[in-house]
Amino acid sequence: MKRYFGRKTIIYLSTFFLAVTVDWAIPRLMPGDPIMNLLSRVSVRAEASEAMYGYYTKAFGLDIPVWKQYINFWIALFHGDLGTSVYLFPQKVVDVIIMAVPYSIALLVPAILLSFYTGNKFGAFAARTKILDNTLLPVGYLLTAAPYMWLGILLAWSLGIVVGIFPTAGAYDFNMAPSFSWPFIFSLIKHWFLPFLSLFLVQFGGWAIGMRNMIIYELESDYSHYLESLGAPRSLIRKYAYRNALLPQITGLALQLGVIVAGSLVTEVVFSYPGLGSLILSAIQNKDYFLIQGCFLFIIIGVLIANFFIDIAYVIIDPRTRLGMAGE
Amino acid sequence: MSLQIKNLVVYYQTLRGYVKALDDVTFSISDGEIMGLAGESGCGKTTLGNSLIRLEPPMKYIKGDVELDNEKLPVWNSSQMNAFRFKKISIIPQYAMNALNPTIKIGKMISELLSSRKFNYKKIKPELERRLDLVELTHDVLNMYPIELSGGMKQRMVLVLSTLLDPSLLIADEITSALDVSTQKAVAEMLVEFRNRKFVKSMIVITHDISILYQIADSILVMYAGKLAEKASTNVIVNTPRHPYTKLLISSLPKVGVRYTEKKLSGIPGNTPLLLDPPAGCRFRDRCPVAFDRCFEEPPFVEIEKDHYIACWKECTEND
Ligand SMILES: Nc1ncnc2c1ncn2[C@@H]1O[C@H](COP(=O)(O)OP(=O)(O)OP(=O)(O)O)[C@@H](O)[C@H]1O
Ligand code: SF4
Ligand SMILES: [Mg+2]
């Protein structure tokens, strides 16, 4: 057990190291000069511009050799310093991200948890229920096959524009100031609903289909047949089959996490929802190295931590893996 | 009579048509009898066993009656069968190695199973532990997951569980096949012990290994291609069989302990007919060394001596 977690920790640490390195490198390989970009926003005279270029290059630490930049990046990282945003200068990258993260989490966490729970329950229920199997499951296939962006646009268009009950952009009404009041909270929920729904639906379809197929396999397995021949009631057999079918679904969740997060970023863009996705888009448009890096770093850390917890949960739930490790 | 089967017909429904895996089966087992069921692979032994307890699609009940202790078994109706399963009739399935849910402790599974059937686990537990002692399993197995048990241990665990409610009939399907010779012998003796202690009244023991049947069975029923060929006391089947197929089966038997189907019956030329479209008349006709005109008709399964049944025109006509 100890060795298992030791090995896992090493894997996670090296993944983290690699991901951070790539995260550091990618914006530097992108075309375009962020400082020029910054200066082009403020129209100044040519000689002033030259001086300012030198100043900003130094300020952002871009005047030193690349390997030093890399080491400095790690050092700063451990101090929780992700640098200064170019595009929202002089705000700190961390502060900019902290503003956006709650919106992303508010979309992602409920969508993941609710779709996982309800999708699995529904898939198990639909399996072996002829009518549902023939009608709603094709819908499930359609939903999972739908790209996040496509479903988001469809929802924004149908429920937002045609029916007009939901707003399609922003996190709250533009003419409202954030406050802790019912109208404001109501506005938050109204704006949250469509992006949440499109994330939820795509994932729901995937879990429902997966569970339906897995539980049919479990219900046809030897232990289910044996219980049947011992006269066990359907409810008991289904209970066991559901639990065993859930295990591969949990692994699936760990594997899917990255895809889901990516889908969520795109969905935010579709709905101009001010989370990390929209922030990344602006950062890319403004060639803001540090902001792009910071956003991805946050996502990397978030996904790794979530994966780690799913790994642990799996080991706790499945006695086969747990016992398989007992000798270690 | 413990078990009485009359004209039982059970097919498999497949896309290419019915597989006639059990055709017009009639026989009975008396109280306390351990009946061996033998025949080549694919002749319908498992189908017969399953028909009596868990007749689920793609199996299809066509006709026939099954009576257990003079009570009709509704084998065609799964929910009505539930009242009999476990309590009156029980099975150790051919796949006993995988019969236990891998993700739950064995004791917990038994407890949930018993309470789902309105039995009290606490009350039954002392008896359960006594029986674990009898099959030489420690009580600890109840706190283990199935993967912590060896194949032989799982087999014995399933034996104890299947017979826990003292059913009238136990069907043991290939219970010894996956075990080494010495364990085989021990498990076979446990079956007899369970019968002697009246945990089960009668048994059908399905096996590839006639030598095991020779040790433990009171009678042997030989099947061929979905039909019954011969049933008689073990002694008669082994020493003076009458059906041409049984004769070949016994004479082609290699040394004790070697399983005949693995050698594909070198002594009997030809192959078993496909059960999707079996030939009319005696199904053994193509391979039978003594076949004659009459064999194009179907031979009935008749009693030629007391407790000796046979389906063969040759033997019947000689008796006429
Ligand atoms: N699910 C199924 N669908 C269609 N045909 C089947 C199915 N299961 C079994 N059969 C056919 O029914 C026949 C009898 O099979 P059965 O499993 O009863 O044989 P068996 O005597 O138990 O063989 P073995 O000794 O190998 O266990 C075989 O010809 C087999 O091909
Ligand atoms: S009925 Fe005919 S073919 Fe069948 S076993 Fe007897 S002699 Fe052989
Ligand atoms: Mg079989």
Side-chain angles (χ1 to χ4, degrees), chain B residues 243-245 282-286 288-292 294-295 297 299 311-315:
Chain B
H243 194 285
Y245 175 63
C282 179
R283 290 186 183 176
F284 188 53
R285 196 181 58 228
D286 288 348
C288 181
V290 294
F292 63 114
R294 195 137 185 216
C295 306
E297 286 168 54
C312 173
W313 289 123
K314 197 87 184 169
E315 294 299 316

Side-chain angles (χ1 to χ4, degrees), chain B residues 10-15 17-22 37-50 56-59 94 173-174 177 206-208 223 225-226 260-261 272-276:
Chain B
V10 174
Y11 293 162
Y12 286 97
Q13 211 158 14
T14 69
L15 290 176
Y18 285 133
V19 174
K20 301 182 177 64
L22 205 60
L37 180 55
E40 281 168 285
S41 185
C43 70
K45 305 182 296 293
T46 298
T47 310
L48 173 55
N50 283 344
E56 299 284 337
M59 287 169 91
Q94 186 161 2
D173 196 347
E174 305 285 4
S177 307
I206 301 173
T207 178
H208 276 144
M223 282 184 76
Y260 56 86
T261 40
T272 35
L274 287 177
L275 297 182
L276 199 57

Side-chain angles (χ1 to χ4, degrees), chain B residues 143-157:
Chain B
N143 285 317
M144 291 183 190
Y145 292 94
I147 51 160
E148 295 175 88
L149 272 58
S150 73
M153 290 167 85
K154 274 188 250 188
Q155 210 107 34
R156 280 175 280 158
M157 189 63 240

Side-chain angles (χ1 to χ4, degrees), chain A residues 222-223 225-233 236 239-240 243-244 247 318-320 322-324, chain B residues 53-54 82 85-86 91 93 95 98-99 101-104 112-113 116-117 145 147-148 158 162:
Chain A
D222 292 339
Y223 69 85
H225 285 169
Y226 182 52
L227 282 171
E228 270 171 37
S229 58
L230 292 176
L236 185 72
K239 185 176 112 181
Y240 289 169
R243 205 170 38 198
N244 292 348
L247 295 168
D318 190 347
R320 284 166 296 189
R322 195 170 61 230
L323 293 168
Chain B
I53 188 162
R54 202 187 139 268
N82 255 6
R85 291 171 178 153
F86 203 11
I91 191 169
Y95 47 79
N98 309 316
N101 181 358
T103 57
I104 184 169
E112 291 187 2
L113 172 67
S116 80
R117 303 228 48 192
Y145 292 94
I147 51 160
E148 295 175 88
V158 172
S162 286

Side-chain angles (χ1 to χ4, degrees), chain A residues 67-131:
Chain A
W67 65 270
K68 262 194 182 155
Q69 287 183 32
Y70 179 65
I71 290 174
N72 287 345
F73 181 71
W74 275 103
I75 293 171
L77 188 64
F78 283 111
H79 290 107
D81 178 11
L82 298 176
T84 312
S85 168
V86 176
Y87 138 72
L88 293 169
F89 190 81
Q91 288 192 61
K92 287 269 174 206
V93 165
V94 174
D95 297 334
V96 176
I97 289 174
I98 296 272
M99 290 289 293
V101 163
Y103 291 109
S104 289
I105 288 181
L107 279 187
L108 262 177
V109 173
I112 289 175
L113 295 181
L114 280 175
S115 66
F116 189 78
Y117 182 79
T118 56
N120 279 314
K121 284 277 178 207
F122 179 78
F125 176 70
R128 294 285 167 78
T129 317
K130 266 248 159 61
I131 309 162

Side-chain angles (χ1 to χ4, degrees), chain A residues 279-311:
Chain A
L279 194 60
I280 289 174
L281 183 69
S282 327
I284 290 173
Q285 282 166 348
N286 293 287
K287 305 210 175 61
D288 189 338
Y289 281 2
F290 299 101
L291 194 51
I292 297 172
Q293 264 170 12
C295 289
F296 281 121
L297 201 68
F298 248 80
I299 292 167
I300 290 163
I301 295 173
V303 170
L304 282 179
I305 291 175
N307 255 314
F308 190 70
F309 279 114
I310 295 174
D311 261 0

